[in-house]
Amino acid sequence: MIDTMKPYPEYKESGLPWIGSIPKHWDSLPHRAIFEEIKEQGHVNEPLLSVTIGRGIIRQEDLLANSSKKDSSNLDKSKYKLVDPGDIAYNKMRAWQGSVGVSKYRGIVSPAYIVQRLRGDLKPDYFHYLFRTPGFAKEAERWSYGITSDQWSLRPQHFKMIYSCVPPLYEQELIVGFLRKLDRQVLRFIRNRWRLINLLNEQKQAIINRAVTRGLNADAPLKHSKVDWLGDIPESWTLKRFKYVVSIRSGQVDPKIAPYRDWVLIAPEHIEKHTGVIRLRETAHEQGAISGKYQVEPGEVIYSKIRPALRKAAIAEEKCLCSADMYPLAPRRSEILPEYLLLLLLYGPATRYLIDYSMRVAMPKVNRDALGNCWLWYPDVDTQREIMQSLKDKLLPLNTSLDRAQREINLIREYRTRLISDVVTGKMDVRHVSPPPVREDLEEMVESLEPLNDQPDETDEESMDGEVFHADD
């Protein structure tokens, strides 16, 4: 697959550690010769744009539509900067994490963002790909200044001092065309894998739902719960309001003081939907405002009250903080185990009740009263353990398939990142080749890749709509 692409015939040293050698006929130029900074203001009626780490520049309305984030822009937008299609914009506080891209839209961005426009006849999308490589992220980090990492800033005067490689215009066009085709293939592959993951999760949910509403004994006598959304449950099971079985912690702590300032902060974006898996990022110590944090004890369940349809809940493995968008839940363990409570929140019929309740407000959200009045149904603790062990055995094949599908998605993303970096820096000559097909069997491709450094990513985990590669579909 990769063997069809060869290096260029001749190279020269670029003098740039982040790029290395470049094809002999390419240039190496400072950004002051490539870009001019744009500070045009006063376009208050233009739509707002956002510069994201995972998706480049997108309309803010698209960003808000698929997340729990709120519009934090100033009412007075007279100082906001105009961005035209083809302009490069970056978040000066997050350029070193990959918050940079070329805009396909006309709009305005916060005054804190930097807008750059290409001088002369160059291909903006080439620089979009170049600036979103791990190599450029490291170079942006080297030129960023600040007391701590969350205050590092890539100022315009320092951006101008960075050097980049510049192929001839016709090659920039060929490179962009090659990478757009690659993006379409990768996106198609990932979408197919997500369809598989969704089907597997549906099967998994059906199995768990059956276990937590009927138990393991199919012949056990039932009783009517008198709860419309629950129906019948085993006769020996307990039915109680949430608030009588689970303590919903209140009272906030100051994250600026010891020991809380050193604790990891869990926010909804750190929890995978439907799975109960926490995946921390580098921002786990930096999420949101300094107020509104709750202490969480090991073994407690953290539940996101925002958009309950995403079913974001997990068990804390250590002392930590959670954001105000989440509830720390401490179940009475003599009645219900944390792991069993997590199953009910992720897969049980209560999810439908909480979703229906949350849809009554503008931003889908579950308040404390609604959660406290939700019904919980459960057997004795020993039976809970038996159910969880049975589910572990039944779900093993499904979980194995889910892990494989997710691994393949991760591998193809790594493959794309590596290949883009090689192409835009001239390590691979794509002037006479088509993008390699993304085969169903990844083993040969995986063996040809070296281990990659982790790249900051803000890809939306909630839908494949977040998997945007700036490709022309």
Side-chain angles (χ1 to χ4, degrees), residues 265-292:
L265 172 63
I266 307 297
E269 65 189 77
H270 297 132
I271 300 179
E272 290 185 355
K273 66 172 185 176
H274 305 173
T275 67
V277 175
I278 298 175
R279 295 194 184 277
L280 296 180
R281 302 175 184 171
E282 293 179 359
T283 54
H285 287 280
E286 305 169 1
Q287 294 296 324
I290 59 174
S291 59

Side-chain angles (χ1 to χ4, degrees), residues 387-436:
I387 289 174
M388 288 187 292
Q389 182 59 51
S390 175
L391 287 173
K392 182 178 179 181
D393 297 336
K394 289 181 179 179
L395 297 176
L396 180 59
L398 286 176
N399 287 332
T400 299
S401 297
L402 283 166
D403 289 343
R404 176 178 174 82
Q406 185 61 61
R407 179 174 176 269
E408 290 175 343
I409 289 174
N410 294 339
L411 288 171
I412 204 65
R413 285 174 173 161
E414 291 178 354
Y415 169 69
R416 173 185 176 270
T417 298
R418 172 65 178 274
L419 185 54
I420 287 175
S421 182
D422 284 348
V423 169
V424 297
T425 58
K427 305 302 181 291
M428 291 287 185
D429 184 353
V430 298
R431 291 175 295 178
H432 309 294
V433 298
S434 297

Side-chain angles (χ1 to χ4, degrees), residues 218-375:
D219 299 323
L222 304 177
K223 64 182 177 182
H224 197 280
S225 66
K226 299 182 180 179
V227 179
D228 292 340
W229 49 264
L230 180 55
D232 295 338
I233 60 173
E235 193 173 67
S236 61
W237 287 20
T238 299
L239 182 69
K240 285 186 180 180
R241 297 275 189 188
F242 198 98
K243 59 188 174 184
Y244 299 126
V245 188
V246 181
S247 173
I248 307 174
R249 189 187 300 267
S250 60
Q252 301 174 358
V253 300
D254 185 348
K256 302 187 301 299
I257 64 174
Y260 310 117
R261 64 188 175 208
D262 297 322
W263 291 8
V264 166
L265 172 63
I266 307 297
E269 65 189 77
H270 297 132
I271 300 179
E272 290 185 355
K273 66 172 185 176
H274 305 173
T275 67
V277 175
I278 298 175
R279 295 194 184 277
L280 296 180
R281 302 175 184 171
E282 293 179 359
T283 54
H285 287 280
E286 305 169 1
Q287 294 296 324
I290 59 174
S291 59
K293 306 299 184 291
Y294 296 104
Q295 177 178 337
V296 185
E297 295 296 325
E300 291 185 347
V301 177
I302 315 170
Y303 176 71
S304 174
K305 59 184 172 184
I306 305 296
R307 298 178 70 197
L310 297 178
R311 287 179 276 148
K312 290 195 171 188
I315 295 177
E317 297 181 356
E318 60 181 348
K319 280 182 178 287
C320 61
L321 300 178
C322 72
S323 72
D325 290 332
M326 309 197 77
Y327 293 125
L329 307 176
R332 189 181 305 155
R333 300 193 184 202
S334 60
E335 290 202 48
I336 187 167
L337 300 172
E339 296 79 6
Y340 197 83
L341 174 62
L342 182 63
L343 287 180
L344 298 184
L345 291 173
L346 290 176
Y347 301 103
T351 298
R352 174 50 54 192
Y353 159 79
L354 295 172
I355 292 172
D356 290 343
Y357 178 88
S358 71
M359 296 305 291
R360 302 173 193 171
V361 296
M363 169 61 74
K365 180 186 299 186
V366 177
N367 65 33
R368 287 177 180 270
D369 288 340
L371 185 58
N373 286 319
C374 179
W375 290 98

Side-chain angles (χ1 to χ4, degrees), residues 430-459:
V430 298
R431 291 175 295 178
H432 309 294
V433 298
S434 297
V438 178
R439 297 207 309 249
E440 290 296 304
D441 182 3
L442 295 176
E443 295 303 319
E444 180 180 338
M445 181 190 73
V446 172
E447 290 175 359
S448 68
L449 294 177
E450 297 176 2
L452 296 168
N453 294 326
D454 290 335
Q455 182 181 13
D457 188 7
E458 197 182 63
T459 300

Side-chain angles (χ1 to χ4, degrees), residues 51-107:
V51 186
T52 68
I53 294 174
R55 301 169 64 181
I57 299 177
I58 61 175
R59 297 184 184 97
Q60 192 187 76
E61 63 183 30
D62 295 334
L63 176 66
L64 298 180
N66 292 302
S67 75
S68 60
K69 298 179 181 179
K70 300 178 182 178
D71 183 358
S72 59
S73 62
N74 296 333
L75 292 176
D76 179 10
K77 295 181 173 56
S78 60
K79 302 293 186 183
Y80 277 51
K81 298 176 182 178
L82 179 68
V83 177
D84 277 331
D87 286 348
I88 297 279
Y90 69 86
N91 180 341
K92 63 183 179 182
M93 303 291 287
R94 290 287 180 264
W96 60 277
Q97 291 180 312
S99 184
V100 59
V102 65
S103 182
K104 294 191 289 186
Y105 316 104
R106 178 182 170 92

